[in-house]
Each structure stands twice: as C-alpha cells, then as structure tokens.
Amino acid sequence: IMDSISMSNHKFKAITLQEDVLNFRKELAEKQGKPDFMVGFDYTFIGKGDNGLRGTDAFVFPRVGITIPLYRNKYRAMVNEVMLLKQANVSEQDNQLNILEILFEN
C-alpha cells in the first residue's frame, strides 16, 4: 500500500525526478572537465552584391582547435557537489516517505 501511496504523491515524484536531473548534471560536469576538440570551416563573403545582397566571392578557411581545461579542480568540485546533492536527495526521499507513512498510519 505504501508503494502505491508514494508513487501517487506529487512531492515524492518531484524528488525522484530531481534524481534524474542530478545524473545529467554529473555527466555534464564530467564532460566539461575533459579536453574539447573542434574541427570545422569558416567562410567569409567578399565584395558588394546587387540590391544590398552579399558578395558572390567567398573564402573558406579550415578550422582546427583544442581546448584544454586548466582548472580541473573546478570540474572535480562540480562532480563532488552533485554527489552531495544526490545524498541530500536520498535523505529527502526518506523523509518524505516517513511523512507519508505517518499520515497513513494516523
């Protein structure tokens, strides 16, 4: 009975959905701490066109780059923050479940 009550409670549902959000935040923080690679093309239109349109000549430049995060402790701290928020979320789930149980028993 408690399972059906907890699954139909909107506060308990919100807390469980926050867990999914925290999983995505953790994944994002881990990916931000890794090097970023960039490959692409830049183009530039040259010259005047007819009736205010851009020119017909274009230059294409290849673009290659790498970005290395220098302050990795910042990203490690972000991952640790999410882990602590997950622990707080689990405690909040337990608290909400206890409240629902007390209300059901009364």
Side-chain angles (χ1 to χ4, degrees):
I1 294 176
M2 282 307 298
D3 290 336
S4 63
I5 292 173
S6 64
M7 291 301 160
S8 64
N9 186 291
H10 66 282
K11 287 184 181 178
F12 194 77
K13 283 183 184 178
I15 294 170
T16 55
L17 289 176
Q18 285 178 355
E19 188 174 345
D20 293 336
V21 171
L22 291 174
N23 287 335
F24 286 121
R25 281 183 59 187
K26 179 183 176 192
E27 184 179 337
L28 175 67
E30 287 173 349
K31 287 184 178 181
Q32 283 181 335
K34 295 184 179 179
D36 187 22
F37 299 100
M38 179 177 36
V39 177
F41 292 100
D42 284 341
Y43 58 91
T44 304
F45 289 109
I46 304 295
K48 291 186 177 182
D50 297 328
N51 297 329
L53 298 176
R54 292 194 177 188
T56 56
D57 295 335
F59 288 114
V60 178
F61 300 103
R63 184 176 186 176
V64 178
I66 183 170
T67 304
I68 300 173
L70 297 177
Y71 301 106
R72 294 191 54 96
N73 289 335
K74 172 178 146 182
Y75 302 108
R76 287 188 193 119
M78 291 169 77
V79 172
N80 289 338
E81 177 188 13
V82 171
M83 296 301 289
L84 293 173
L85 287 173
K86 276 186 175 184
Q87 289 176 355
N89 193 14
V90 168
S91 298
E92 194 173 343
Q93 281 180 344
D94 292 341
N95 186 29
Q96 188 65 33
L97 194 59
N98 289 339
I99 290 171
L100 290 173
E101 190 173 336
I102 289 169
L103 288 174
F104 179 70
E105 287 177 1
N106 287 340

